[in-house]
Amino acid sequence: MQAYFNSYEDIVSRQELMGTSTSEEYNQIQRYYMESSQNMAIEQALKLAKKPYEMTYKGVYVMSLQPNSAFNGKLKVGDTVTGVDGQTFKDSASFMEYVKKQKVGQTVTVSYLRDGKTAEASGKLVELAGEKKPGIGISLVDHTEVDSSVPIQVDAGSIGGPSAGLMFTLEIYSQLMNQDLRKGHEIAGTGTMSSDGTVGRIGGIDKKIVTANNEGAEIFFAPDDTITDEMRQAEPGIESNYETAKKTAEKIDSKMKIVPVKTVQDALDYLKNLN
């Protein structure tokens, strides 16, 4: 009832939110996005602060398993595959190149990490849909971590997802440089963080504007993402996060200053000029 009368609250079905994922799989995926967001933020902050660091490749992170995979029930979403048949790899491209050189139906042994413990599982390679190449039957992304002489930890509580990347970066940079970037202001914001410092689009920014306003924020950093022709064709009327944020602030008569940012440097430049 509350959502019906409030345009800044929504009710979504389990299917809309989670697709075919189980609760455990959904939480694991959100945890990956959060960990990835933190790694990107730490990397960017160290880079901006000119502190040395190395990006360490941990393996490939299992995002989903295909129905025909022989590793269903053996691997789980959230596992990190560290090797195949005793072979280790420097990135996911090398991992996939090795697997595709094998044969469909061939039995392979996969090494993986789960909850910090190492284990192995064996199964036959399946034919990948549309490729006619052998594969384990998983969708994957690189699992990396930042190694630095400066110890950095982020306590994000129980939240998941990637949308805190920009704000993590600014907070870490502030501590690395021992600078009060806020200068006494209450500052909120959102946006994913990429390896080149680009601030990416997120979902539900109108609701974040309302929440930030209710919490007394004076300034809000909003991703000024580029809307492509393909995006407009797929979703007529689509707006950038910044456009939606600004309209929402005006609609609720907020006094917050909505600041468009394309990169983390845009946010830093704005903060440096704050009184």
Side-chain angles (χ1 to χ4, degrees), residues 220-225 240 242-243 246 257-263 266-267 270:
F220 192 101
F221 291 127
D224 189 15
D225 53 306
S240 70
Y242 169 66
E243 290 171 323
K246 193 171 182 182
K257 170 73 173 175
I258 310 300
V259 179
V261 290
K262 288 188 178 294
T263 66
D266 290 343
Y270 181 88

Side-chain angles (χ1 to χ4, degrees), residues 14 46 66-67 83 109 223 229 269:
R14 178 190 177 96
L46 288 166
Q66 296 175 11
T109 299
D229 291 339
D269 290 343

Side-chain angles (χ1 to χ4, degrees), residues 4-63:
Y4 180 80
F5 290 108
N6 186 342
S7 57
Y8 299 110
E9 292 188 25
D10 288 329
I11 295 174
V12 296
S13 68
R14 178 190 177 96
Q15 177 71 23
E16 287 174 302
L17 180 69
M18 299 167 56
T20 58
S21 301
T22 65
S23 294
E24 183 183 5
E25 289 171 343
Y26 178 79
N27 290 334
Q28 287 282 10
I29 291 169
Q30 293 304 307
R31 192 176 305 154
Y32 160 75
Y33 285 135
M34 172 54 71
E35 289 177 1
S36 178
S37 176
Q38 291 175 11
N39 278 333
M40 287 294 182
I42 292 169
E43 181 190 15
Q44 282 304 310
L46 288 166
K47 193 184 296 184
L48 289 163
K50 295 181 170 54
K51 305 284 186 184
Y53 71 93
E54 287 185 1
M55 190 65 81
T56 304
Y57 175 75
K58 296 291 185 181
V60 295
Y61 196 94
V62 179
M63 299 295 284

Side-chain angles (χ1 to χ4, degrees), residues 183-205:
K183 300 174 185 173
H185 295 279
E186 290 294 330
I187 300 175
T190 189
T192 64
M193 182 53 55
S194 67
S195 58
D196 65 357
T198 299
V199 177
R201 181 181 182 85
I202 56 88
I205 195 166

